[in-house]
Amino acid sequence: GQNGCFGVSVYLLFDPRAGVMSFGEYRVIYLGGMGRSGSTLAERLLGELPHVCVAGELVHLWQRCVTDNERCGCGKPFGDCEFWSAVGESAFGGWSNVDVRRVAELRASVDRNRFIPQLARRSLPARLGCDLAEYMNYYRRLYGAISQVSGCSTVVDSSKHPSLAFCLSRGDLPDLRVIHVVRDSRAVAYSWTTRVQRPEAPGGSYMTTYSPIRASSEWIMQNASLGLLARSQTPVLRVRYEDLVSEVKPTLRRICEYAGLSVEESELGFVGGGESEQWAELRQAHTAAGNPMRFATGKITISKDDRWQTAMPGGQRRTVTALTLPLLSLYGYAGVLGGPSRFAPRPATPASTASGGTP
């Protein structure tokens, strides 16, 4: 492990017969960015590609699934899902062997945005390095088991949090590719003011809401952090929500080229439609936590959600625009201050260099 310190007790808890669990080679695609930016749509589309397994927001798996037994994307409670039961057995000898409180402690000590400046440094403080090594052991086992059980060489984690992306970049994964999903800040801020029910949770609970100012600050911090990651040795591809919903197949091809996925044109047949409306045929997916869209199956319509342009009060639009203007401009959102977004076309840049110039 990093800095020569690895949680020996963690190994003993998982497998008393061996120091290291062996999984085949696998690739992790990490979807990062601000919530309500289209990452769930991107995840579901990627899940229709061959040899790709989408797993949901795994950062929430430990509490919401292992402890709270919320529903998998297949509709069953986590504890009753055959897929996740097999993953737990393969990774840890069963979910009962996972110390969820310890995972939470480790997350609090390394996987927070306030630790990003330290995680971005070449060398880590000793304590942070030890905790990070132990924390990443859980994720390496989890990803490896998902790949093994699903039979897929690529695992998609849509956790979004930039701090986890930084942790994974130092986590000795066989192959990590980060996709930075970004959306117009005004659309994101408007979405965070609306109430969205969480169908997987009991008691009619709702997703968190933010004020426009809070949403703006989160949008800046999370997107700028992923821009910082792009300046490291970790491959990062920026994908705009507006590109994804207007040009589904070209955007998917661009993602596949970046991620090293070989996809034939016939394997994109689950996407159809024309310029006015596109659609995708989605199968059931075993996703742990995430946007309610993860439960959608069958034929879904893909179109840009631009309700904010008419429903968002003018004062809020102007405030969000003013606060986020530098990054809005950098990402190609050209519009008058506080007015409707005039979406600038994505520059024709190779996938391998598409993240250049990020903050």
Side-chain angles (χ1 to χ4, degrees), residues 20-21 28 39 46 52 64-65 80 85 95 118-119 124 137 139 178 216 218 255 257 288 294 300 312:
V20 178
M21 291 286 286
V28 174
S39 59
L46 288 171
V52 175
R64 295 183 185 177
C65 297
D80 296 334
S85 295
W95 294 111
Q118 296 182 67
L119 292 168
L124 301 178
N137 186 37
Y139 279 91
V178 177
S216 296
E218 291 286 336
I255 291 173
E257 180 184 354
R294 68 193 181 93
I300 66 163
M312 191 177 193

PDB file of all heavy atoms in Angstrom, residues 20-21 28 39 46 52 64-65 80 85 95 118-119 124 137 139 178 216 218 255 257 288 294 300 312:
ATOM      1  N   VAL A  20      -4.005 -10.803   0.094  1.00  0.00           N
ATOM      2  CA  VAL A  20      -4.492 -10.007  -1.026  1.00  0.00           C
ATOM      3  C   VAL A  20      -5.549 -10.791  -1.783  1.00  0.00           C
ATOM      4  O   VAL A  20      -5.367 -11.962  -2.090  1.00  0.00           O
ATOM      5  CB  VAL A  20      -3.349  -9.637  -1.999  1.00  0.00           C
ATOM      6  CG1 VAL A  20      -3.889  -8.850  -3.187  1.00  0.00           C
ATOM      7  CG2 VAL A  20      -2.275  -8.839  -1.278  1.00  0.00           C
ATOM      8  N   MET A  21      -6.666 -10.158  -2.047  1.00  0.00           N
ATOM      9  CA  MET A  21      -7.693 -10.758  -2.900  1.00  0.00           C
ATOM     10  C   MET A  21      -7.286 -10.540  -4.351  1.00  0.00           C
ATOM     11  O   MET A  21      -6.822  -9.467  -4.717  1.00  0.00           O
ATOM     12  CB  MET A  21      -9.042 -10.112  -2.640  1.00  0.00           C
ATOM     13  CG  MET A  21      -9.645 -10.430  -1.290  1.00  0.00           C
ATOM     14  SD  MET A  21     -10.274 -12.098  -1.192  1.00  0.00           S
ATOM     15  CE  MET A  21     -11.753 -11.924  -2.189  1.00  0.00           C
ATOM     16  N   VAL A  28     -12.219   1.131 -14.441  1.00  0.00           N
ATOM     17  CA  VAL A  28     -13.256   1.902 -13.747  1.00  0.00           C
ATOM     18  C   VAL A  28     -13.481   3.212 -14.487  1.00  0.00           C
ATOM     19  O   VAL A  28     -12.530   3.966 -14.731  1.00  0.00           O
ATOM     20  CB  VAL A  28     -12.869   2.194 -12.283  1.00  0.00           C
ATOM     21  CG1 VAL A  28     -13.899   3.126 -11.641  1.00  0.00           C
ATOM     22  CG2 VAL A  28     -12.769   0.898 -11.485  1.00  0.00           C
ATOM     23  N   SER A  39     -25.549  12.971 -15.047  1.00  0.00           N
ATOM     24  CA  SER A  39     -24.667  11.814 -14.886  1.00  0.00           C
ATOM     25  C   SER A  39     -25.447  10.504 -14.880  1.00  0.00           C
ATOM     26  O   SER A  39     -24.940   9.472 -15.348  1.00  0.00           O
ATOM     27  CB  SER A  39     -23.839  11.945 -13.605  1.00  0.00           C
ATOM     28  OG  SER A  39     -24.672  12.040 -12.468  1.00  0.00           O
ATOM     29  N   LEU A  46     -24.322   4.256 -20.872  1.00  0.00           N
ATOM     30  CA  LEU A  46     -23.105   3.442 -20.875  1.00  0.00           C
ATOM     31  C   LEU A  46     -23.411   2.001 -20.495  1.00  0.00           C
ATOM     32  O   LEU A  46     -22.763   1.065 -20.984  1.00  0.00           O
ATOM     33  CB  LEU A  46     -22.080   4.026 -19.899  1.00  0.00           C
ATOM     34  CG  LEU A  46     -21.403   5.330 -20.326  1.00  0.00           C
ATOM     35  CD1 LEU A  46     -20.579   5.901 -19.181  1.00  0.00           C
ATOM     36  CD2 LEU A  46     -20.519   5.097 -21.547  1.00  0.00           C
ATOM     37  N   VAL A  52     -19.871  -3.590 -20.171  1.00  0.00           N
ATOM     38  CA  VAL A  52     -19.901  -2.471 -19.228  1.00  0.00           C
ATOM     39  C   VAL A  52     -20.967  -2.744 -18.171  1.00  0.00           C
ATOM     40  O   VAL A  52     -22.115  -3.049 -18.502  1.00  0.00           O
ATOM     41  CB  VAL A  52     -20.207  -1.141 -19.937  1.00  0.00           C
ATOM     42  CG1 VAL A  52     -20.351  -0.014 -18.909  1.00  0.00           C
ATOM     43  CG2 VAL A  52     -19.119  -0.806 -20.944  1.00  0.00           C
ATOM     44  N   ARG A  64     -26.490   3.538   2.659  1.00  0.00           N
ATOM     45  CA  ARG A  64     -27.856   3.415   2.150  1.00  0.00           C
ATOM     46  C   ARG A  64     -28.237   1.984   1.794  1.00  0.00           C
ATOM     47  O   ARG A  64     -29.404   1.613   1.891  1.00  0.00           O
ATOM     48  CB  ARG A  64     -28.038   4.317   0.926  1.00  0.00           C
ATOM     49  CG  ARG A  64     -27.927   5.798   1.229  1.00  0.00           C
ATOM     50  CD  ARG A  64     -28.198   6.627  -0.014  1.00  0.00           C
ATOM     51  NE  ARG A  64     -27.991   8.044   0.235  1.00  0.00           N
ATOM     52  CZ  ARG A  64     -28.108   8.985  -0.701  1.00  0.00           C
ATOM     53  NH1 ARG A  64     -28.445   8.643  -1.941  1.00  0.00           N
ATOM     54  NH2 ARG A  64     -27.889  10.258  -0.408  1.00  0.00           N
ATOM     55  N   CYS A  65     -27.257   1.210   1.369  1.00  0.00           N
ATOM     56  CA  CYS A  65     -27.559  -0.155   0.916  1.00  0.00           C
ATOM     57  C   CYS A  65     -27.206  -1.204   1.963  1.00  0.00           C
ATOM     58  O   CYS A  65     -28.075  -1.954   2.410  1.00  0.00           O
ATOM     59  CB  CYS A  65     -26.838  -0.433  -0.392  1.00  0.00           C
ATOM     60  SG  CYS A  65     -27.367   0.637  -1.742  1.00  0.00           S
ATOM     61  N   ASP A  80     -31.846  -8.410  -0.719  1.00  0.00           N
ATOM     62  CA  ASP A  80     -32.512  -9.482  -1.460  1.00  0.00           C
ATOM     63  C   ASP A  80     -32.042  -9.582  -2.906  1.00  0.00           C
ATOM     64  O   ASP A  80     -32.491 -10.460  -3.648  1.00  0.00           O
ATOM     65  CB  ASP A  80     -34.033  -9.268  -1.458  1.00  0.00           C
ATOM     66  CG  ASP A  80     -34.628  -9.345  -0.062  1.00  0.00           C
ATOM     67  OD1 ASP A  80     -34.031 -10.021   0.794  1.00  0.00           O
ATOM     68  OD2 ASP A  80     -35.681  -8.717   0.171  1.00  0.00           O
ATOM     69  N   SER A  85     -25.656  -9.571  -3.536  1.00  0.00           N
ATOM     70  CA  SER A  85     -25.263 -10.612  -2.582  1.00  0.00           C
ATOM     71  C   SER A  85     -24.014 -11.325  -3.070  1.00  0.00           C
ATOM     72  O   SER A  85     -23.093 -11.601  -2.294  1.00  0.00           O
ATOM     73  CB  SER A  85     -26.409 -11.613  -2.390  1.00  0.00           C
ATOM     74  OG  SER A  85     -27.525 -10.998  -1.778  1.00  0.00           O
ATOM     75  N   TRP A  95     -21.533  -9.293   3.115  1.00  0.00           N
ATOM     76  CA  TRP A  95     -21.622  -7.910   3.590  1.00  0.00           C
ATOM     77  C   TRP A  95     -21.535  -7.802   5.105  1.00  0.00           C
ATOM     78  O   TRP A  95     -21.152  -6.748   5.633  1.00  0.00           O
ATOM     79  CB  TRP A  95     -22.913  -7.270   3.091  1.00  0.00           C
ATOM     80  CG  TRP A  95     -22.954  -7.092   1.605  1.00  0.00           C
ATOM     81  CD1 TRP A  95     -23.750  -7.750   0.718  1.00  0.00           C
ATOM     82  CD2 TRP A  95     -22.137  -6.197   0.828  1.00  0.00           C
ATOM     83  NE1 TRP A  95     -23.485  -7.329  -0.569  1.00  0.00           N
ATOM     84  CE2 TRP A  95     -22.509  -6.383  -0.530  1.00  0.00           C
ATOM     85  CE3 TRP A  95     -21.146  -5.271   1.138  1.00  0.00           C
ATOM     86  CZ2 TRP A  95     -21.913  -5.658  -1.570  1.00  0.00           C
ATOM     87  CZ3 TRP A  95     -20.548  -4.556   0.107  1.00  0.00           C
ATOM     88  CH2 TRP A  95     -20.927  -4.751  -1.219  1.00  0.00           C
ATOM     89  N   GLN A 118      -4.671  18.505  -0.284  1.00  0.00           N
ATOM     90  CA  GLN A 118      -3.648  17.547   0.144  1.00  0.00           C
ATOM     91  C   GLN A 118      -3.568  16.364  -0.814  1.00  0.00           C
ATOM     92  O   GLN A 118      -2.475  15.884  -1.142  1.00  0.00           O
ATOM     93  CB  GLN A 118      -3.953  17.041   1.559  1.00  0.00           C
ATOM     94  CG  GLN A 118      -3.890  18.119   2.630  1.00  0.00           C
ATOM     95  CD  GLN A 118      -4.159  17.557   4.013  1.00  0.00           C
ATOM     96  OE1 GLN A 118      -3.375  16.782   4.540  1.00  0.00           O
ATOM     97  NE2 GLN A 118      -5.296  17.941   4.596  1.00  0.00           N
ATOM     98  N   LEU A 119      -4.724  15.885  -1.275  1.00  0.00           N
ATOM     99  CA  LEU A 119      -4.743  14.760  -2.193  1.00  0.00           C
ATOM    100  C   LEU A 119      -4.112  15.110  -3.540  1.00  0.00           C
ATOM    101  O   LEU A 119      -3.659  14.231  -4.271  1.00  0.00           O
ATOM    102  CB  LEU A 119      -6.183  14.276  -2.405  1.00  0.00           C
ATOM    103  CG  LEU A 119      -6.854  13.628  -1.194  1.00  0.00           C
ATOM    104  CD1 LEU A 119      -8.362  13.474  -1.436  1.00  0.00           C
ATOM    105  CD2 LEU A 119      -6.235  12.258  -0.897  1.00  0.00           C
ATOM    106  N   LEU A 124       1.795  12.618   0.343  1.00  0.00           N
ATOM    107  CA  LEU A 124       0.731  12.789   1.320  1.00  0.00           C
ATOM    108  C   LEU A 124       1.289  12.767   2.731  1.00  0.00           C
ATOM    109  O   LEU A 124       2.284  12.084   3.010  1.00  0.00           O
ATOM    110  CB  LEU A 124      -0.305  11.659   1.184  1.00  0.00           C
ATOM    111  CG  LEU A 124      -1.016  11.506  -0.157  1.00  0.00           C
ATOM    112  CD1 LEU A 124      -1.950  10.302  -0.107  1.00  0.00           C
ATOM    113  CD2 LEU A 124      -1.800  12.769  -0.488  1.00  0.00           C
ATOM    114  N   ASN A 137      -8.753   0.134  -0.206  1.00  0.00           N
ATOM    115  CA  ASN A 137      -8.848  -1.318  -0.211  1.00  0.00           C
ATOM    116  C   ASN A 137     -10.299  -1.760  -0.368  1.00  0.00           C
ATOM    117  O   ASN A 137     -10.602  -2.728  -1.077  1.00  0.00           O
ATOM    118  CB  ASN A 137      -8.251  -1.896   1.070  1.00  0.00           C
ATOM    119  CG  ASN A 137      -8.186  -3.407   1.052  1.00  0.00           C
ATOM    120  OD1 ASN A 137      -7.915  -4.026   0.023  1.00  0.00           O
ATOM    121  ND2 ASN A 137      -8.442  -4.019   2.194  1.00  0.00           N
ATOM    122  N   TYR A 139     -12.678  -0.115  -1.928  1.00  0.00           N
ATOM    123  CA  TYR A 139     -13.134   0.164  -3.289  1.00  0.00           C
ATOM    124  C   TYR A 139     -12.488  -0.779  -4.309  1.00  0.00           C
ATOM    125  O   TYR A 139     -13.154  -1.210  -5.267  1.00  0.00           O
ATOM    126  CB  TYR A 139     -12.863   1.627  -3.649  1.00  0.00           C
ATOM    127  CG  TYR A 139     -13.927   2.542  -3.102  1.00  0.00           C
ATOM    128  CD1 TYR A 139     -13.790   3.125  -1.847  1.00  0.00           C
ATOM    129  CD2 TYR A 139     -15.094   2.792  -3.816  1.00  0.00           C
ATOM    130  CE1 TYR A 139     -14.782   3.939  -1.324  1.00  0.00           C
ATOM    131  CE2 TYR A 139     -16.089   3.610  -3.303  1.00  0.00           C
ATOM    132  CZ  TYR A 139     -15.928   4.179  -2.057  1.00  0.00           C
ATOM    133  OH  TYR A 139     -16.924   4.977  -1.534  1.00  0.00           O
ATOM    134  N   VAL A 178     -11.835   9.130 -15.703  1.00  0.00           N
ATOM    135  CA  VAL A 178     -12.816  10.035 -15.094  1.00  0.00           C
ATOM    136  C   VAL A 178     -13.521  10.816 -16.196  1.00  0.00           C
ATOM    137  O   VAL A 178     -12.877  11.394 -17.066  1.00  0.00           O
ATOM    138  CB  VAL A 178     -12.149  11.000 -14.097  1.00  0.00           C
ATOM    139  CG1 VAL A 178     -13.179  11.989 -13.537  1.00  0.00           C
ATOM    140  CG2 VAL A 178     -11.480  10.224 -12.967  1.00  0.00           C
ATOM    141  N   SER A 216     -24.874  27.427  -6.590  1.00  0.00           N
ATOM    142  CA  SER A 216     -23.807  28.050  -7.378  1.00  0.00           C
ATOM    143  C   SER A 216     -22.436  27.763  -6.785  1.00  0.00           C
ATOM    144  O   SER A 216     -21.483  27.436  -7.508  1.00  0.00           O
ATOM    145  CB  SER A 216     -24.030  29.565  -7.447  1.00  0.00           C
ATOM    146  OG  SER A 216     -25.229  29.876  -8.122  1.00  0.00           O
ATOM    147  N   GLU A 218     -21.582  25.272  -4.849  1.00  0.00           N
ATOM    148  CA  GLU A 218     -21.272  23.852  -5.030  1.00  0.00           C
ATOM    149  C   GLU A 218     -20.879  23.565  -6.473  1.00  0.00           C
ATOM    150  O   GLU A 218     -19.954  22.787  -6.733  1.00  0.00           O
ATOM    151  CB  GLU A 218     -22.494  23.000  -4.635  1.00  0.00           C
ATOM    152  CG  GLU A 218     -22.824  22.995  -3.158  1.00  0.00           C
ATOM    153  CD  GLU A 218     -21.838  22.168  -2.355  1.00  0.00           C
ATOM    154  OE1 GLU A 218     -21.202  21.273  -2.938  1.00  0.00           O
ATOM    155  OE2 GLU A 218     -21.699  22.409  -1.141  1.00  0.00           O
ATOM    156  N   ILE A 255     -17.008   9.169 -25.788  1.00  0.00           N
ATOM    157  CA  ILE A 255     -16.706   8.582 -24.477  1.00  0.00           C
ATOM    158  C   ILE A 255     -16.002   7.244 -24.653  1.00  0.00           C
ATOM    159  O   ILE A 255     -15.018   6.948 -23.961  1.00  0.00           O
ATOM    160  CB  ILE A 255     -18.002   8.420 -23.655  1.00  0.00           C
ATOM    161  CG1 ILE A 255     -18.546   9.789 -23.245  1.00  0.00           C
ATOM    162  CG2 ILE A 255     -17.747   7.562 -22.426  1.00  0.00           C
ATOM    163  CD1 ILE A 255     -19.909   9.732 -22.585  1.00  0.00           C
ATOM    164  N   GLU A 257     -14.189   6.168 -27.177  1.00  0.00           N
ATOM    165  CA  GLU A 257     -12.828   6.369 -27.659  1.00  0.00           C
ATOM    166  C   GLU A 257     -11.900   6.748 -26.516  1.00  0.00           C
ATOM    167  O   GLU A 257     -10.791   6.224 -26.385  1.00  0.00           O
ATOM    168  CB  GLU A 257     -12.816   7.456 -28.733  1.00  0.00           C
ATOM    169  CG  GLU A 257     -11.432   7.740 -29.291  1.00  0.00           C
ATOM    170  CD  GLU A 257     -11.424   8.886 -30.284  1.00  0.00           C
ATOM    171  OE1 GLU A 257     -12.501   9.398 -30.629  1.00  0.00           O
ATOM    172  OE2 GLU A 257     -10.321   9.293 -30.697  1.00  0.00           O
ATOM    173  N   ALA A 288     -26.746   0.922  -7.187  1.00  0.00           N
ATOM    174  CA  ALA A 288     -26.883   1.192  -5.756  1.00  0.00           C
ATOM    175  C   ALA A 288     -26.868   2.699  -5.540  1.00  0.00           C
ATOM    176  O   ALA A 288     -25.815   3.323  -5.671  1.00  0.00           O
ATOM    177  CB  ALA A 288     -25.743   0.535  -4.989  1.00  0.00           C
ATOM    178  N   ARG A 294     -32.630   5.938 -12.314  1.00  0.00           N
ATOM    179  CA  ARG A 294     -31.975   4.635 -12.381  1.00  0.00           C
ATOM    180  C   ARG A 294     -32.968   3.488 -12.383  1.00  0.00           C
ATOM    181  O   ARG A 294     -32.627   2.355 -12.730  1.00  0.00           O
ATOM    182  CB  ARG A 294     -30.985   4.477 -11.222  1.00  0.00           C
ATOM    183  CG  ARG A 294     -31.600   4.368  -9.840  1.00  0.00           C
ATOM    184  CD  ARG A 294     -30.542   4.537  -8.766  1.00  0.00           C
ATOM    185  NE  ARG A 294     -31.086   4.420  -7.421  1.00  0.00           N
ATOM    186  CZ  ARG A 294     -31.119   3.283  -6.734  1.00  0.00           C
ATOM    187  NH1 ARG A 294     -30.644   2.169  -7.250  1.00  0.00           N
ATOM    188  NH2 ARG A 294     -31.606   3.249  -5.521  1.00  0.00           N
ATOM    189  N   ILE A 300     -37.181   5.313 -23.394  1.00  0.00           N
ATOM    190  CA  ILE A 300     -37.271   6.624 -22.761  1.00  0.00           C
ATOM    191  C   ILE A 300     -36.942   7.702 -23.788  1.00  0.00           C
ATOM    192  O   ILE A 300     -36.152   7.485 -24.704  1.00  0.00           O
ATOM    193  CB  ILE A 300     -36.323   6.753 -21.549  1.00  0.00           C
ATOM    194  CG1 ILE A 300     -34.851   6.699 -22.013  1.00  0.00           C
ATOM    195  CG2 ILE A 300     -36.602   5.691 -20.511  1.00  0.00           C
ATOM    196  CD1 ILE A 300     -33.872   7.212 -20.982  1.00  0.00           C
ATOM    197  N   MET A 312     -37.462  29.811 -13.872  1.00  0.00           N
ATOM    198  CA  MET A 312     -36.551  30.365 -12.870  1.00  0.00           C
ATOM    199  C   MET A 312     -36.716  31.879 -12.807  1.00  0.00           C
ATOM    200  O   MET A 312     -36.632  32.563 -13.836  1.00  0.00           O
ATOM    201  CB  MET A 312     -35.111  30.016 -13.231  1.00  0.00           C
ATOM    202  CG  MET A 312     -34.091  30.313 -12.151  1.00  0.00           C
ATOM    203  SD  MET A 312     -32.430  29.763 -12.671  1.00  0.00           S
ATOM    204  CE  MET A 312     -31.547  29.868 -11.113  1.00  0.00           C
TER     205      MET A 312
END
